[in-house]
């Protein structure tokens, strides 16, 4: 097979890039190691920056997002039993976020690929990038059953997530990694119950962090901070609801509707960045290059901003023979990635209870919250990062 851009991974990054390039007449092939149902079966986050939503509209896959996604003008931070509203719309000159599940978004991207006859190869095993170091033309190989296949291309884009093959294909002496792992996790539950609140509630409680989120008015998503030794098996639904309710402000605790969990999982919290995000003819985007703790709702949005820069760089290259965007991709993408990293780290430090915190740390966290709730400037900084900084 021959294509212009070979993409590894059919997550939101790979599918969005493929869709946007196809609309500009640039050919792509996406190689995904799992089945389509497996990819669509993963429960992930669901808060979209306004810039990301615009990119979905440009990709012509936004009808359902605009019809079913919820526009949220703000959210609450609960501390010491009181709820403090973060007026996103008021503090950012009208910017908001859309609450729309990543699973639904990925489904819309797939349907966009179907409509345009995009090539997405599933169950592609042993996907391997070759000759991307500038000596000769890049190509990808993969196996379907016993048969080995090859895709010749101009560029390879690794959208294969944290556990993919692309980042690890960059020479060790070139790749620089930055990481911090938090001694806490998030236990998440999806339940077919009405959300406890119209807007999200982030809770800093002495028993630990909690988050009340939603997927729709009949599908709720809740999280409680847990330890890294916790196992899902140790958490019955009753124990989960009891712990969540113990952490909620009184009005929410009194009105929350509980029910059987339809998904329950634990996610560790880590901050990670790999640099550079380009090595010769191999590019990295999304979780393949960076991971954030979910506290700032940046994961999906950081992936989308990578795609924004790479998409425009590829169009400039193929349309005008202008390589500036490709040459500056890593620098531009990383500049915004690090701002997302800072914001996610800051939100994580602000809202969780750390087992290794001393009295000074705890007093500092309290002071940070008091300052936030008493300063419009601090609230505005939080709001502008949450709705998404300009690309
Ligand atoms: N070969 C082919 N496909 C692979 C390989 C491989 N070696 N390794 C991983 N993949 C596929 C995975 O199966 C997955 O479908 O790459 C895809 C990567 O998708 P994501 O992990 O969703 O990463 P990305 O598209 O960058 O989306 C980032 O996902 O995890 C959330 O919080 C994260 O919201 C962020 C978003
Ligand atoms: C979610 O809805 O799953 C969600 C929302 C906001 C976050 C993290 C996760 O910060």
């Amino acid at each position: 097979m021959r294509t212009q851009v070979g993409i590894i991974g059919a997550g939101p990054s790979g599918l969005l890039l493929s869709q946007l390039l196809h609309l500009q007449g640039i050919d792509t092939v996406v190689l995904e190691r799992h089945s389509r149902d497996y990819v669509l079966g993963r429960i992930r986050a669901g808060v979209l920056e306004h810039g990301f939503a615009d990119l979905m509209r440009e990709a012509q896959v936004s009808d359902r997002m605009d019809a079913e996604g919820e526009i949220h003008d703000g959210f609450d931070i609960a501390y010491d039993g009181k709820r403090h509203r973060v007026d996103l719309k008021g503090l950012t000159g009208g910017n908001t976020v859309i609450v729309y599940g990543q699973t639904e978004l990925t489904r819309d991207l797939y349907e966009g690929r179907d409509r345009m006859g995009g090539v997405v190869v599933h169950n592609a095993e042993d996907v391997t990038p070759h000759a991307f170091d500038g000596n000769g033309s890049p190509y990808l190989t993969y196996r379907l059953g016993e048969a080995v296949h090859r895709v010749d291309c101009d560029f390879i884009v690794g959208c294969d997530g944290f556990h993919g093959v692309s980042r690890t294909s960059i020479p060790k002496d070139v790749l620089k990694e930055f990481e911090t792992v938090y001694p806490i996790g998030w236990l998440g539950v999806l339940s077919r119950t009405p959300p406890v609140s119209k807007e999200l509630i982030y809770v800093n409680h002495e028993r630990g962090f909690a988050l009340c989120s939603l997927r729709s008015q009949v599908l709720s998503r809740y999280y409680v901070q847990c330890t890294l030794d916790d196992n899902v098996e140790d958490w019955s639904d009753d124990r989960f609801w009891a712990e969540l309710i113990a952490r909620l402000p009184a009005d929410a605790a009194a009105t929350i509707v509980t029910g059987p969990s339809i998904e329950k999982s634990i996610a560790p919290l880590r901050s990670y960045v790999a640099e550079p995000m380009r090595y010769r003819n191999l590019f990295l985007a999304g979780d393949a290059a960076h991971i954030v703790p979910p506290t700032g709702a940046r994961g999906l949005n950081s992936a989308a901003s990578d795609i924004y820069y790479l998409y425009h760089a590829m169009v400039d290259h193929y349309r005008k023979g202008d390589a500036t965007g490709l040459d500056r991709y890593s620098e531009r993408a990383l500049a915004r990635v690090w701002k997302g990293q800072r914001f996610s780290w800051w939100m994580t430090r602000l809202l969780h209870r750390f087992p290794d915190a001393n009295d000074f740390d705890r007093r500092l966290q309290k002071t940070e919250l008091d300052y936030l709730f008493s300063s419009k400037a601090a609230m505005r900084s939080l709001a502008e990062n949450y709705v998404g900084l300009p690309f």
Side-chain angles (χ1 to χ4, degrees), residues 279-318:
Y279 175 69
R280 313 278 171 83
N281 294 322
L282 174 63
F283 296 79
L284 303 180
D287 278 18
H290 45 82
I291 300 281
V292 284
T295 329
R298 283 316 87 189
L300 187 54
N301 295 300
S302 291
S305 76
D306 295 346
I307 298 308
Y308 173 87
Y309 295 120
L310 195 50
Y311 152 57
H312 286 285
M314 290 276 180
V315 171
D316 289 352
H317 167 76
Y318 282 111

Side-chain angles (χ1 to χ4, degrees), residues 69-273:
E70 291 191 7
I71 294 176
H72 282 208
D73 299 349
F75 63 88
D76 283 356
I77 295 179
Y79 176 65
D80 227 4
K82 285 198 252 7
R83 291 166 71 159
H84 304 264
R85 185 163 186 274
V86 180
D87 175 8
L88 295 173
K89 195 170 185 176
L91 290 163
T92 64
N95 287 321
T96 57
V97 293
I98 293 186
V99 174
Y100 186 62
Q102 178 172 326
T103 312
E104 302 316 312
L105 178 140
T106 307
R107 192 185 309 284
D108 299 336
L109 286 164
Y110 265 121
E111 286 163 10
R113 298 283 64 232
D114 295 345
R115 275 195 303 277
M116 298 188 71
V119 179
V120 182
V121 179
H122 286 96
N123 306 310
E125 292 170 73
D126 303 340
V127 173
T128 308
H130 302 268
F132 50 81
D133 55 3
N135 308 325
S137 316
Y139 64 98
L140 289 159
T141 57
Y142 64 98
R143 197 167 46 75
L144 285 179
E146 296 311 303
V148 175
H149 299 266
R150 171 176 171 141
V151 180
D152 289 286
C153 49
D154 306 327
F155 302 109
I156 296 172
V157 181
C159 295
D160 47 353
F162 188 74
H163 303 288
V165 63
S166 53
R167 184 182 67 254
T168 54
S169 302
I170 296 179
K172 293 267 169 300
D173 60 341
V174 172
L175 196 73
K176 188 152 178 29
E177 300 179 286
F178 304 81
E179 183 173 40
T180 188
V181 177
Y182 304 88
I184 51 178
W186 274 21
L187 169 64
V189 155
L190 189 67
S191 60
R192 216 174 287 293
T193 55
V196 67
S197 168
K198 283 215 160 330
E199 297 182 331
L200 274 54
I201 312 173
Y202 289 83
V203 183
N204 175 320
H205 187 275
E206 64 192 8
R207 298 174 68 92
F209 169 85
L211 170 62
C212 303
S213 183
L214 57 101
R215 291 291 174 273
S216 71
Q217 286 310 305
V218 294
L219 204 53
S220 296
R221 182 70 165 156
Y222 297 106
Y223 301 92
V224 294
Q225 171 186 343
C226 61
T227 72
L228 289 180
D229 314 325
D230 270 298
N231 293 312
V232 171
E233 298 71 44
D234 307 335
W235 283 86
S236 66
D237 285 358
D238 290 350
R239 181 183 172 201
F240 175 84
W241 292 118
E243 188 55 45
L244 175 66
I245 290 167
R247 300 182 190 188
L248 293 182
D251 58 338
T255 56
I256 189 168
V257 177
T258 65
S261 62
I262 54 177
E263 191 272 352
K264 192 189 299 177
S265 55
I266 291 181
L269 270 57
R270 120 191 26 230
S271 295
Y272 172 90
V273 179

